[in-house]
Amino acid sequence: EVTVQESGAAGQSVQLLLTNSRGQRISQQLISEAGQAELRTVSLGDQTGVYILQAVTPTERQSVKVIRR
């Protein structure tokens, strides 16, 4: 698991997407209306490796690489 703090999207919907290195979607969470700061826990897959966590709003997309050893 990894804990994510999202901020800067107050009042907007935020979608958290986790994919593995092959582009397969592992999990998806929707925050229908984000507050000032949101803490969420995202479960990683069972395999070690590289995952990409994306936070997507109606106006912006940010990605973070997560490495599980």
Side-chain angles (χ1 to χ4, degrees):
E1 293 184 338
V2 64
T3 301
V4 177
Q5 180 176 350
E6 172 279 317
S7 61
Q12 297 184 60
S13 63
V14 179
Q15 189 174 32
L16 297 175
L17 303 170
L18 181 72
T19 56
N20 64 17
S21 60
R22 291 177 285 186
Q24 297 170 315
R25 185 170 292 169
I26 304 298
S27 71
Q28 176 178 344
Q29 292 185 26
L30 178 64
I31 304 168
S32 58
E33 189 173 328
Q36 288 295 98
E38 295 278 340
L39 277 178
R40 295 291 170 128
T41 301
V42 178
S43 295
L44 298 176
D46 295 333
Q47 301 291 324
T48 59
V50 177
Y51 294 85
I52 304 297
L53 178 63
Q54 296 181 57
V56 181
T57 70
T59 59
E60 190 174 356
R61 174 185 300 258
Q62 291 195 352
S63 301
V64 176
K65 186 185 297 185
V66 179
I67 300 172
R68 180 176 183 174
R69 296 180 184 209

